[in-house]
Every structure is written in structure tokens, then in C-alpha cells.
Amino acid sequence: SSELTQDPAVSVALGQTVRITCQGDTLRSYFASWYQLKPGQAPVLVMYGENKRPSGIADRFSGSTSGNTASLTITGAQAEDEADYYCNSRDSSGNVYVFGTGTKVTVL
Amino acid sequence: EVQLVESGGGLIQPGGSLRLSCAASGFTVRSYYMHWVRQAPGKGLEWVSVISAGGVTYYADSVKGRFTISRDNSKNTLYLQMNSLRAEDTAVYYCARDCGGDCYHASDYWGQGTLVTVSS
């Protein structure tokens, strides 16, 4: 299966830690990348590979993979982290890409 | 500075055609994989298509046979030709640069998107 499943929504208190997960069989073969999407803005890459952050992304963002599950963790969540987060990877062919169902993160 | 600027969106009737453009600057389109991704109103991100540096193309099942991705190296521009448009194709369409195998084919730069509305 090439589906990537995420929890629809999570909430986190300001300054606390939240983990967002992405499940799919394809993650046993390919790493996920993670994108932050805010209303009216373009998606932003926040994590790729095995815990690699693009330049300019805060170090409170970290990633991991175990079996068929990829995780994005925000340690010390800030108000500006409130957004939708999507994982992305490739299907079993390696040629077709798929996004996760998305997780809305609310910072309380 | 890397920039991607989409254009060509608008209101189109079902069954119609539209061509989206994505003008790139700060890098050479022919040297990278390039993607189109869309987001329908109130929905999540959906991958649409990719063109490799070598020109090989792949599509999501939902658009296969109707959409065609291409590029013009002389204009450093990516295109998405969309035919037989349906109401469910209504979305903001983004182009994105794939940073390649060294970054596990993540998309490191995105345009601001162009809205396509399919309605009679």
C-alpha cells in the first residue's frame, strides 16, 4: 500500500513537546520528508531523511523512523509552530510520490 | 536566490484545458527533478506529477492521461498541461523543486501557488 496515515489533529501546550506520526508500508523502504503548511502560504520543508533539518529550520524540530512509522517531534513548541504538517514519501515503485493525510497542530 | 513563480490559473469550465507555468530563477530546471502538488479547498496536499532531470515523467492515478508535465529549458520554466478538467481538479497548484537523492528527494523550494477553479 502507498497510503500514509497521520492523526488528524493534535494539541500541545506552549513550550511542551508534541510528536506527529506518519504510518505506511512504504516507509520501510523510503524516508519521509515533512512539510509545514500555514494558511495562504507555500509549504515549507522542515525535515527530511533520517533527522535532517534544512537550513533555517529551528532545532526544536527533529525526526525519526522506526519500521513503518516516521515521526516529527517539536520539543518546546512555539506559537508559530501552529500549522498543518504533512509527511511525504514514495510508493513501492519509487517513482510515484504520496502525501500523508495531514495533522493539524494547535499550540495552546 | 531560488524562486519559483506559478501562473496560468483561473476559472475554467468542466472539460476544458489550462496550462500552468512555473518560472524558475536561481537554478536550472533541467538539472533537477520538479514536482507539481495541489491542495483542494479544505483538503490536504496531493502529489500530482514529477519530471526527472532526464525528462522522465510520472503522474498520480487521479490525473494520468489528462495532465502532462513538461519543461522548456530555454525559458527555465516548468509546465503542467491540464486537459479534460473536472470539478475535483479545483485546487491551488504548487510547483516544487526536488533537492535530489542526497536529500532523499524532498522538495526544498516551493512556489506560492496558482488557483485553478473548475466550474460551470
Side-chain angles (χ1 to χ4, degrees):
Chain A
S1 169
S2 59
E3 294 179 347
L4 295 176
T5 302
Q6 300 178 237
D7 290 330
V10 296
S11 61
V12 57
L14 186 68
Q16 296 304 300
T17 297
V18 62
R19 188 176 75 163
I20 308 161
T21 60
C22 171
Q23 284 190 302
D25 289 341
T26 188
L27 297 177
R28 298 184 186 276
S29 302
Y30 300 104
F31 283 114
S33 51
W34 290 91
Y35 301 88
Q36 178 191 70
L37 186 57
K38 296 181 180 179
Q41 298 184 21
V44 174
L45 175 66
V46 297
M47 190 65 55
Y48 66 93
E50 190 169 14
N51 195 22
K52 296 185 184 299
R53 274 180 293 107
S55 173
I57 299 302
D59 60 5
R60 62 180 177 272
F61 289 89
S62 62
S64 64
T65 301
S66 178
N68 72 337
T69 302
S71 300
L72 177 71
T73 300
I74 309 173
T75 303
Q78 301 299 303
E80 59 264 33
D81 300 332
E82 186 163 289
D84 294 329
Y85 290 83
Y86 294 87
C87 59
N88 175 252
S89 189
R90 289 179 276 172
D91 78 349
S92 56
S93 74
N95 298 316
V96 171
Y97 294 69
V98 60
F99 280 94
T101 50
T103 298
K104 181 176 182 61
V105 172
T106 300
V107 180
L108 304 173
Chain B
E1 179 191 6
V2 171
Q3 279 195 319
L4 296 168
V5 179
E6 301 96 336
S7 60
L11 175 63
I12 187 76
Q13 290 189 337
S17 297
L18 209 56
R19 189 179 78 160
L20 305 183
S21 300
C22 170
S25 57
F27 74 102
T28 303
V29 164
R30 69 172 183 266
S31 298
Y32 289 82
Y33 284 50
M34 296 291 297
H35 299 265
W36 285 100
V37 174
R38 68 185 181 183
Q39 184 179 32
K43 302 293 186 182
L45 294 177
E46 180 187 13
W47 177 82
V48 173
S49 182
V50 65
I51 183 167
S52 74
V56 181
T57 60
Y58 296 96
Y59 301 91
D61 287 343
S62 58
V63 307
K64 197 176 298 181
R66 300 188 299 123
F67 289 12
T68 302
I69 189 172
S70 64
R71 65 185 183 221
D72 184 329
N73 296 336
S74 67
K75 296 182 179 179
N76 209 33
T77 298
L78 178 73
Y79 299 102
L80 186 68
Q81 176 68 43
M82 304 185 297
N83 299 331
S84 302
L85 282 162
R86 307 166 180 167
E88 54 265 35
D89 296 318
T90 294
V92 175
Y93 285 74
Y94 299 97
C95 63
R97 188 184 83 165
D98 183 313
C99 49
D102 287 349
C103 75
Y104 305 94
H105 290 286
S107 291
D108 58 351
Y109 288 94
W110 295 68
Q112 285 298 313
T114 186
L115 176 62
V116 172
T117 303
V118 184
S119 175
S120 54

Short mmCIF file of all heavy atoms in Angstrom, two decimals, chain B residues 6 15 29 46 54 62 64 76 86 92 118-120:
data_model
loop_
_atom_site.label_atom_id
_atom_site.label_comp_id
_atom_site.label_asym_id
_atom_site.label_seq_id
_atom_site.Cartn_x
_atom_site.Cartn_y
_atom_site.Cartn_z
N GLU B 6 4.48 30.55 -10.02
CA GLU B 6 3.45 29.91 -10.83
C GLU B 6 2.52 30.95 -11.45
O GLU B 6 2.31 32.04 -10.89
CB GLU B 6 2.60 28.94 -10.01
CG GLU B 6 3.35 27.81 -9.33
CD GLU B 6 3.70 28.13 -7.88
OE1 GLU B 6 3.76 29.33 -7.54
OE2 GLU B 6 3.90 27.19 -7.10
N GLY B 15 -14.32 20.01 -18.47
CA GLY B 15 -13.98 19.54 -19.80
C GLY B 15 -12.98 20.40 -20.52
O GLY B 15 -12.43 20.00 -21.55
N VAL B 29 16.30 24.45 -14.13
CA VAL B 29 15.23 23.45 -14.00
C VAL B 29 15.65 22.11 -14.57
O VAL B 29 15.33 21.06 -13.99
CB VAL B 29 13.95 23.97 -14.71
CG1 VAL B 29 12.97 22.84 -14.95
CG2 VAL B 29 13.31 25.09 -13.91
N GLU B 46 -1.87 16.99 -2.21
CA GLU B 46 -1.91 15.83 -3.11
C GLU B 46 -0.80 15.98 -4.14
O GLU B 46 -0.76 16.96 -4.88
CB GLU B 46 -3.26 15.71 -3.81
CG GLU B 46 -3.36 14.53 -4.75
CD GLU B 46 -4.62 14.48 -5.59
OE1 GLU B 46 -5.34 15.48 -5.64
OE2 GLU B 46 -4.90 13.42 -6.19
N GLY B 54 16.30 13.85 -16.31
CA GLY B 54 16.41 13.23 -17.62
C GLY B 54 15.16 13.32 -18.47
O GLY B 54 15.15 12.85 -19.61
N SER B 62 -4.94 9.89 -10.34
CA SER B 62 -6.09 10.78 -10.49
C SER B 62 -5.97 11.71 -11.69
O SER B 62 -6.97 12.28 -12.14
CB SER B 62 -6.27 11.62 -9.22
OG SER B 62 -5.09 12.36 -8.95
N LYS B 64 -3.56 10.88 -14.44
CA LYS B 64 -2.89 10.17 -15.53
C LYS B 64 -3.77 10.15 -16.77
O LYS B 64 -4.96 9.86 -16.69
CB LYS B 64 -2.56 8.75 -15.08
CG LYS B 64 -1.52 8.05 -15.92
CD LYS B 64 -1.20 6.68 -15.34
CE LYS B 64 -0.61 6.76 -13.95
NZ LYS B 64 -0.26 5.43 -13.39
N ASN B 76 13.70 28.16 -18.80
CA ASN B 76 13.85 27.73 -17.40
C ASN B 76 12.49 27.67 -16.71
O ASN B 76 12.31 28.17 -15.58
CB ASN B 76 14.80 28.65 -16.64
CG ASN B 76 15.52 27.91 -15.51
OD1 ASN B 76 15.81 26.72 -15.61
ND2 ASN B 76 15.82 28.61 -14.43
N ARG B 86 -11.98 18.50 -14.44
CA ARG B 86 -13.15 18.12 -13.67
C ARG B 86 -13.27 19.03 -12.46
O ARG B 86 -12.29 19.64 -12.03
CB ARG B 86 -13.02 16.67 -13.21
CG ARG B 86 -12.72 15.66 -14.31
CD ARG B 86 -12.26 14.35 -13.71
NE ARG B 86 -11.98 13.35 -14.75
CZ ARG B 86 -11.33 12.21 -14.52
NH1 ARG B 86 -10.90 11.93 -13.30
NH2 ARG B 86 -11.11 11.37 -15.51
N VAL B 92 -5.41 24.77 -5.38
CA VAL B 92 -4.21 25.57 -5.55
C VAL B 92 -3.11 24.62 -6.01
O VAL B 92 -2.90 23.57 -5.39
CB VAL B 92 -3.80 26.27 -4.24
CG1 VAL B 92 -2.47 26.99 -4.41
CG2 VAL B 92 -4.88 27.25 -3.80
N VAL B 118 -12.50 24.84 -11.39
CA VAL B 118 -13.23 24.20 -12.48
C VAL B 118 -14.71 24.23 -12.13
O VAL B 118 -15.16 23.54 -11.21
CB VAL B 118 -12.75 22.76 -12.71
CG1 VAL B 118 -13.48 22.15 -13.91
CG2 VAL B 118 -11.25 22.71 -12.90
N SER B 119 -15.44 25.03 -12.85
CA SER B 119 -16.87 25.21 -12.54
C SER B 119 -17.59 25.80 -13.74
O SER B 119 -17.01 26.57 -14.52
CB SER B 119 -17.02 26.16 -11.33
OG SER B 119 -18.38 26.44 -11.09
N SER B 120 -18.85 25.43 -13.86
CA SER B 120 -19.67 25.97 -14.94
C SER B 120 -20.42 27.21 -14.47
O SER B 120 -21.15 27.83 -15.23
CB SER B 120 -20.65 24.92 -15.44
OG SER B 120 -21.42 24.42 -14.38
#
